[in-house]
Amino acid sequence: MTDLPELLPPLLRGLWVTLQLTAGAAALAIPAALLSGLGRMSRRPYLSWPAACYVEVFRGTSALVQLFWVYYVLPLLGLRLPAVWAGILVLGLHTGAYGAEIVRGAIANVPKGQAEAAVALNMTPTATLWRILVPQAVPLMLPPAGNLLIELLKNTALVSLITITDLTFSAQLLRSETFRTVEVFSIALLMYFAAAQVLNGGMRLLERRAARHRGRA
């Protein structure tokens, strides 16, 4: 019979992989969300159409099917990605597609008078966007972005299906070796919960700082 402390090391290693996947996918999702969200608001079709296609495709299809397509179909077309990179790519682009709507909605909710004042000051559209609209939209983006980040953490469990030894895959292996299903998955559940609470706490801290900065502006 395996003692409970002996279950922790493999699960902690799996948790570390899960956190790395989350960080990597988030690093891809943030610029993808920002660029596609702004692209959808552009009046230039060569920017708005590709952004719209990206958002609709990734929001309108299953993340699991996207993951299988990238990992199993792309090699047939001559492009093979390591499992970890395939997971980061799919999770990042999938999350970025949802984040694009957060970006677009936040910028649309900035009072129109801010943009009108920028025009009165002869600011260029680019300067207005990056110096006026985006900074004021960031505090509006953070609460839904925090929820999306936690959703990303939970979605990393999908990569266990392409044999990445994340927390879920580690738990499955450990259960098959020890037959201690209740203990193994209870610990995994607590690890996911703890990681989500850390992420939630970090985002709440960012929200408070952004709110204070906005109040001083």
Side-chain angles (χ1 to χ4, degrees):
M1 183 69 70
T2 305
D3 293 329
L4 192 60
E6 295 180 8
L7 300 176
L8 290 177
L11 292 176
L12 288 172
R13 288 193 293 269
L15 176 62
W16 175 239
V17 173
T18 291
L19 295 177
Q20 289 178 305
L21 287 166
T22 302
L28 175 60
I30 291 170
L34 184 60
L35 293 176
S36 57
L38 294 176
R40 294 202 70 177
M41 300 179 70
S42 175
R43 296 179 181 178
R44 299 179 176 88
Y46 62 84
L47 294 177
S48 60
W49 277 98
C53 290
Y54 157 66
V55 170
E56 295 304 324
V57 167
F58 277 88
R59 291 182 66 197
T61 56
S62 164
L64 179 59
V65 175
Q66 294 165 15
L67 185 63
F68 283 168
W69 199 91
V70 168
Y71 189 65
Y72 293 113
V73 177
L74 282 186
L76 301 178
L77 303 177
L79 180 59
R80 182 179 299 276
L81 293 176
V84 170
W85 287 108
I88 289 175
L89 178 65
V90 170
L91 292 173
L93 292 178
H94 184 82
T95 304
Y98 283 90
E101 295 305 296
I102 293 175
V103 171
R104 187 172 69 157
I107 292 177
N109 279 309
V110 174
K112 293 183 178 179
Q114 300 293 323
E116 294 170 356
V119 172
L121 294 172
N122 291 322
M123 295 180 67
T124 64
T126 301
T128 299
L129 175 65
W130 292 108
R131 297 180 62 183
I132 303 296
L133 299 181
V134 170
Q136 294 191 62
V138 167
L140 303 176
M141 298 178 195
L142 289 177
N147 293 333
L148 194 58
L149 185 59
I150 292 174
E151 192 66 26
L152 169 60
L153 170 68
K154 294 186 292 185
N155 281 341
T156 58
L158 295 175
V159 303
S160 64
L161 298 174
I162 57 171
T163 68
I164 296 177
T165 314
D166 70 322
L167 179 54
T168 298
F169 192 74
S170 297
Q172 292 171 339
L173 288 177
L174 199 57
R175 181 202 62 81
S176 65
E177 293 171 359
T178 65
F179 301 103
R180 300 187 68 173
T181 303
V182 174
E183 294 92 333
V184 167
F185 283 106
S186 294
I187 295 172
L189 184 70
L190 291 173
M191 286 182 172
Y192 274 115
F193 179 76
Q197 293 310 301
V198 171
L199 290 177
N200 187 51
M203 293 303 296
R204 292 290 176 84
L205 180 61
L206 287 176
E207 289 173 30
R208 288 195 294 269
R209 290 185 176 180
R212 287 198 298 267
H213 178 74
R214 190 180 185 187
R216 291 194 299 266

